[in-house]
């Protein structure tokens, strides 16, 4: 898409491939650090039993653990980045597996630390702080360990749970191998030209935006049919992940897996419940949106393959990677000179992004970094508005990492997963605001509103539906029910009906609902997209309305990492997720955009 007042293109060419030699110049260098990390494991383990002796002993163990983690994490990230560039490169996959085992061994070696912290009495700990000022850095970290005291286990049990880490990740490993390496999708033919169209993990989303309904139908049929052919394998992987979550929750004395997952980040279950209740109560708003799509497409019945279709005809929606980089810079300039300067380095100098799809490259997109490297962003660029949004989204993650690492010690340099999706969604909203502000052509404005509605629909409604599905799957497994493919289809089907009613046919919906979502392997992650977009809309609204004061609060949030409770950090940024208000406000934003689109369409 080319706005009527386009962002001036940069004179420089954006880098679009990683240079992983920035991390390790050669495999020999990686091996040298690997052996150094292995040697550090028994040195850390030798400190077991000594932490209650003095503040100095406690500080030494924490600092030694953190230094070793930085090394192990760098090795782990480097190996997986290389493996993700070609999922069929056996040497890279083997190195990634070795890195996984090393990470599991690290957690096993460090498993004694939290139980020994929990065992300290208050008088001991106060004396340690008084005599060892360096412990102040770790005060919140220590407080968090002690907050979870009721769910801590003996050093022996903690070590056993850590040792089981690699085994417990097997369902996710199987899912990834099946999904990324073993699935092969048939090509489809363009009904007008006969041209063969490739169906891949990345291309499917562009095909589903196509105005031609036959292309959309054929693309989704080709995509879903491969999953259906492996439905029992995918069901087994998901059932294994759910069983793992339930086992770990029970091992730590939690009543449920969702309680355990939320408590790990200090999130009350009331937040999760309020999200599900509030969004489901707005199902009529979702159905109104579906009715708009049905009218725009002029069809009697909507199917899943219709829901991403481009509704605005006659508008070019192709975006080059160069254009997207320039627009991201322009849109995010509101966050200040330093933010913009770092983005310039990321996109044009240091090569943070591996942008384009290649055979056997990992699908999707992510941001990954370690404490001693810049962030690395993986994309599978498709040249669409969605691709442009994903770039802004992942840059949000990356800049959160950059600010946290710059301003926090290693122990607080990673944000919690609960707040991770806030920064990414703030960037998406700022990009949308910028594009809408710089677009004067009515048709292009309609297209922007349409695509933003689709994004909010996905983050607010679909991710909340996924969260409800995940909760129900864990409940059914905990109750002793078998999570067969048929049972998972049934669960997905019931939730589909509760939200969409009769507006969208369930044909092809059930496998599309649960088989293709890797996030179900991540133990209650999907709800964070919905809480994240709700918080992000509030932050972006404040930046737009208040300017510099809101920007200052936001940058302080990015700099804070995980140095304070997640909900507290968000409150300081201006959002209180302990009330339903942010969810209500986000749904109101969706409703207002829907009204705006309907008004512009009628104009």
């Amino acid at each position: 898409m080319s706005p009527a007042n386009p962002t001036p293109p940069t004179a420089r060419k954006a880098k679009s491939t990683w240079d992983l030699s920035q991390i390790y110049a050669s495999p020999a260098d990686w091996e040298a650090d690997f052996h150094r990390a292995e040697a550090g494991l028994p040195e850390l383990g030798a400190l077991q039993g000594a932490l209650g002796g003095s503040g100095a002993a406690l500080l030494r163990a924490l600092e030694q653990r953190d230094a070793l983690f930085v090394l192990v994490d760098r090795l782990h990230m480097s190996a997986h980045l290389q493996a993700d560039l070609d999922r069929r490169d056996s040497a890279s996959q083997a190195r990634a597996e070795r890195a996984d085992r090393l990470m599991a061994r690290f957690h096993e070696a460090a498993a004694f630390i939290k139980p020994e912290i929990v065992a300290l009495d208050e008088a001991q700990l106060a004396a340690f702080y008084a005599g060892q000022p360096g412990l102040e850095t770790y005060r919140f970290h220590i407080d968090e360990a002690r907050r979870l005291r009721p769910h801590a286990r003996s050093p022996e049990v903690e070590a056993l749970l850590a040792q089981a880490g690699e085994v417990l990740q097997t369902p996710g490993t199987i899912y990834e191998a099946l999904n990324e390496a073993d699935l092969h999708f048939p090509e489809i033919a363009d009904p007008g030209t006969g041209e063969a169209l490739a169906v891949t993990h990345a291309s499917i989303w562009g095909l589903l935006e196509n105005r031609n309904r036959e292309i959309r139908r054929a693309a989704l049929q080709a995509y879903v049919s491969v999953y259906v052919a492996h439905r029992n394998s995918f069901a087994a992987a998901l059932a294994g992940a759910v069983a793992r979550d339930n086992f770990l929750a029970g091992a730590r004395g939690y009543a449920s897996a969702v309680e355990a997952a939320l408590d790990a980040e200090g999130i009350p279950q009331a937040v999760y419940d309020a999200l599900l209740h509030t969004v489901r109560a707005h199902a009529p708003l979702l159905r109104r949106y579906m009715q708009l799509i049905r009218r725009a497409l002029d069809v009697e019945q909507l199917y899943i393959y219709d829901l991403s279709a481009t509704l605005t005809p006659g508008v070019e929606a192709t975006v080059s990677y160069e254009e997207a980089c320039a627009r991201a810079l322009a849109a995010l300039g509101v966050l200040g000179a330093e933010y913009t300067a770092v983005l310039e380095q990321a996109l044009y100098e240091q090569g943070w992004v591996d942008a384009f799809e290649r055979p056997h490259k990992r699908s999707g997109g992510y941001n990954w970094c370690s404490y001693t490297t810049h962030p690395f962003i993986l994309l599978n660029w498709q040249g669409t508005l969605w691709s442009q949004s994903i770039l802004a989204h992942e840059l949000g993650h990356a800049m959160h990492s950059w600010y946290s690492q710059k301003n926090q010690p290693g122990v607080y340099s990673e944000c919690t997963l609960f707040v991770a999706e806030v920064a990414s969604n703030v960037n998406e909203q700022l990009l949308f605001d910028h594009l809408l502000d710089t677009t004067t052509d009515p048709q292009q404005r309609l297209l922007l509103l349409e695509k933003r509605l689709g994004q909010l629909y996905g983050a607010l409604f679909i991710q909340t539906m996924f969260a409800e599905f995940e909760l129900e799957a864990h409940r059914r497994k905990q109750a002793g029910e078998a999570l067969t493919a048929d049972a998972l289809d049934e669960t997905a089907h019931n939730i589909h009906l509760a939200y969409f009613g009769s507006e969208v046919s369930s044909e092809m919906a059930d496998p599309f609902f649960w088989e293709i979502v890797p996030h179900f392997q991540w133990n209650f992650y999907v709800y964070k997209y919905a809480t994240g977009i709700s918080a992000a809309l509030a932050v972006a609204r404040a930046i737009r309305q208040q300017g510099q004061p809101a920007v200052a609060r936001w940058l302080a949030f990015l700099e804070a990492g995980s140095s304070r409770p997640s909900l507290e950090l968000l409150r300081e940024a201006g959002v209180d997720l302990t009330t339903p208000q942010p969810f209500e406000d986000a749904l109101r934003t969706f409703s207002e955009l829907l009204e705006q689109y309907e008004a512009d369409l009628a104009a």
Side-chain angles (χ1 to χ4, degrees), residues 433-506:
D433 288 342
H434 168 76
L435 293 177
L436 202 62
D437 287 345
T438 57
T439 299
T440 56
D441 181 270
Q443 289 297 101
Q444 291 168 345
R445 177 183 172 85
L446 268 176
L447 185 62
L448 282 172
L449 289 170
E450 171 198 326
K451 295 306 178 186
R452 188 55 179 158
L453 277 168
Q455 290 164 354
L456 295 186
Y457 147 75
L460 282 171
F461 288 102
I462 296 301
Q463 298 300 332
T464 302
M465 289 172 65
F466 287 166
E468 192 166 336
F469 169 85
E470 187 171 16
L471 183 64
E472 183 61 19
H474 282 77
R475 283 175 175 167
R476 294 182 71 160
K477 187 71 171 177
Q478 190 175 21
E481 298 182 37
L483 290 186
T484 62
D486 286 345
L488 292 167
D489 277 350
E490 177 196 357
T491 302
H493 183 74
N494 290 338
I495 294 172
H496 174 92
L497 285 178
Y499 279 80
F500 288 107
S502 61
E503 293 296 333
V504 180
S505 169
S506 62

Side-chain angles (χ1 to χ4, degrees), residues 93 142 172 209 217 347 445 485 495 527:
Q93 300 305 320
I142 291 170
E209 291 182 353
R217 188 202 311 271
L347 295 171
R445 177 183 172 85
I495 294 172
Y527 87 97

Side-chain angles (χ1 to χ4, degrees), residues 29-110:
D29 290 339
W30 189 89
E31 292 290 347
D33 260 5
F34 188 92
H35 293 306
R36 188 158 66 92
E38 281 191 312
L41 295 174
E43 295 174 6
L44 177 61
L47 301 177
Q48 183 170 351
L51 273 59
S54 68
L58 176 57
L59 180 60
R60 181 167 62 253
L62 290 169
E63 290 180 338
Q64 195 164 325
R65 178 203 63 185
D66 290 354
L68 183 56
F69 177 75
V70 167
L71 180 60
V72 172
D73 191 46
R74 182 185 179 100
L75 287 160
H76 185 255
M77 181 193 75
S78 172
H80 278 275
L81 292 179
Q82 188 67 58
D84 284 348
L85 292 178
D86 186 350
R87 299 307 294 268
R88 290 198 170 185
D89 181 342
S90 59
S92 295
Q93 300 305 320
R95 191 177 296 114
E97 288 181 15
R98 288 176 63 202
D100 286 343
R101 288 195 294 272
L102 180 66
M103 183 64 78
R105 291 168 61 197
F106 163 79
H107 287 298
E108 180 185 354

Side-chain angles (χ1 to χ4, degrees), residues 13 49 136-137 169 214 308 341 375 502 537 556 571:
K13 183 173 178 60
E136 280 298 330
T137 296
Q169 291 306 314
E214 289 308 309
S308 298
S502 61
L537 288 171
R571 275 195 296 268

Side-chain angles (χ1 to χ4, degrees), residues 368-386:
W368 200 338
C369 67
S370 68
Y371 194 57
T372 55
T373 73
H374 66 65
F376 288 82
I377 294 172
L378 180 139
L379 299 177
N380 282 274
W381 188 259
Q382 296 295 304
T384 63
L385 290 178
W386 177 239

Side-chain angles (χ1 to χ4, degrees), residues 9-15 322 329 343-345 347-349:
T10 178
R12 291 173 296 168
K13 183 173 178 60
K15 290 182 178 292
E322 299 292 337
L329 274 172
L343 282 182
E344 290 267 0
Q345 294 175 2
L347 295 171
Y348 300 105
E349 298 170 20

Side-chain angles (χ1 to χ4, degrees), residues 418-440:
F418 182 75
V419 303
E421 295 302 335
V422 183
S424 54
N425 278 295
V426 165
N427 276 20
E428 283 198 58
Q429 183 62 34
L430 293 177
L431 174 66
F432 168 73
D433 288 342
H434 168 76
L435 293 177
L436 202 62
D437 287 345
T438 57
T439 299
T440 56

